[in-house]
Amino acid sequence: MDWLQPHAHDSNPTPPDDDASLEIVLPDARRRVTVEALRALPGHTLPRAVIASTGHPASGPFDLSGVTLKTLIAAYAPGDWSAALVISGDGFGTRVLAEEWLGESERSILLAHTVDGRPLTRAAGLVRLIVPSETGEALRQVKWVAEIRLLP
């Protein structure tokens, strides 16, 4: 599969497994990050965000909270990266370019773990990549984030 381009994805309502942690994959190392560790990082809220789901109308708006992709990478893998491949436990993924996560904005790319003040359930994604500019077919929103592969 070509992770460098967003692509179609069949809707999958069932979590791929019970493991809610994610791995940050570097060229020479792997770092496991738990949901609890994500919650310990400085938080960010996307007000009035939309969750796009393949095969379903977008839902929301919601106040989604979590950690920005920029904050996560700075905490676990500081360096000069060109892109991140964000991959779900069910194999779906998307590419996020560094220039997309480096800017500071109220609408920053988010690894959401909370919706309207409540933790996301495993069925709802538990940790979900939210790309605020995506409001249609969910080609860049990733549910059940399992791996973030950083590219030099």
Side-chain angles (χ1 to χ4, degrees):
M1 184 168 287
D2 180 7
W3 297 112
L4 300 180
Q5 296 296 322
H7 54 281
H9 177 57
D10 292 329
S11 181
N12 185 355
T14 307
D17 58 40
D18 291 330
D19 185 4
S21 63
L22 62 92
E23 279 193 321
I24 298 175
V25 180
L26 309 170
D28 59 351
R30 295 175 90 82
R31 299 195 173 120
R32 182 157 298 282
V33 181
T34 64
V35 176
E36 293 76 22
L38 285 177
R39 291 179 198 278
L41 291 171
H44 182 78
T45 297
L46 283 174
R48 303 167 312 282
V50 172
I51 294 178
S53 298
T54 305
H56 303 284
S59 59
F62 302 105
D63 288 342
L64 295 171
S65 300
V67 60
T68 65
L69 186 58
K70 178 181 180 177
T71 297
L72 177 73
I73 291 170
Y76 283 90
D80 189 21
W81 305 107
S82 66
L85 306 180
V86 181
I87 304 166
S88 171
D90 71 354
F92 175 71
T94 193
R95 173 184 65 175
V96 180
L97 298 175
E99 59 249 23
E100 293 179 276
W101 80 67
L102 288 175
E104 287 293 333
S105 159
E106 178 185 294
R107 308 300 291 169
S108 294
I109 294 172
L110 186 72
L111 291 162
H113 51 64
T114 305
V115 59
D116 291 337
R118 297 178 315 276
L120 280 168
T121 65
R122 184 69 176 145
L126 195 58
V127 176
R128 197 175 181 123
L129 179 76
I130 302 295
V131 179
S133 61
E134 169 95 64
T135 58
E137 284 298 313
L139 300 180
R140 299 199 68 212
Q141 294 199 21
V142 178
K143 185 164 127 178
W144 304 309
V145 172
E147 184 176 300
I148 298 173
R149 191 175 303 167
L150 294 170
L151 304 177

